[in-house]
Amino acid sequence: MSPGLTALVLVLVMGANALVTGVLDIATAIWLRQRMGGEWLLILSGIASVVFGVLVFLFPGAGALALVWLISVHAIVTGTLLLALAFRVRAWARAVGAGAFRSAVHG
């Protein structure tokens, strides 16, 4: 019934999701700092998500093209950082062994 309002709510939900995800990424990175190195990649990913979320909330009425670009840049940046973190975690897990990895993550 109201496509403009629906689009605005969708944009705000995306911004809220980015903010929550960013805060959780940063909190996870702080937790990882005590167990292994390389947490800075997750912190950067969290910061990128928080910045994206804040920009979406500050400019929710931005044009559709600007929003597509913003979403694309956010996805590329966070995806690259999380992929780099995944390779570091994989290398760390192989170096210390699977048993030590499980105990570090769960204990």
Side-chain angles (χ1 to χ4, degrees):
M1 298 194 74
S2 180
L5 181 61
T6 303
L8 178 64
V9 169
L10 177 62
V11 168
L12 293 176
V13 167
M14 289 171 45
N17 180 47
L19 280 173
V20 170
T21 302
V23 169
L24 291 175
D25 283 350
I26 293 169
T28 302
I30 292 168
W31 180 81
L32 273 178
R33 176 178 283 166
Q34 300 167 357
R35 285 154 177 78
M36 62 172 269
E39 76 282 349
W40 63 273
L41 291 165
L42 195 54
I43 288 174
L44 285 178
S45 174
I47 290 171
S49 290
V50 168
V51 167
F52 172 75
V54 168
L55 286 174
V56 167
F57 274 106
L58 288 177
F59 306 106
L65 184 61
L67 188 59
V68 168
W69 276 102
L70 195 58
I71 292 168
S72 301
V73 169
H74 173 256
I76 290 169
V77 169
T78 57
T80 302
L81 290 169
L82 291 175
L83 188 60
L85 177 64
F87 283 121
R88 289 184 64 103
V89 169
R90 183 178 180 191
W92 178 78
R94 286 183 177 169
V96 299
F101 177 71
R102 273 192 221 103
S103 67
V105 171
H106 296 295

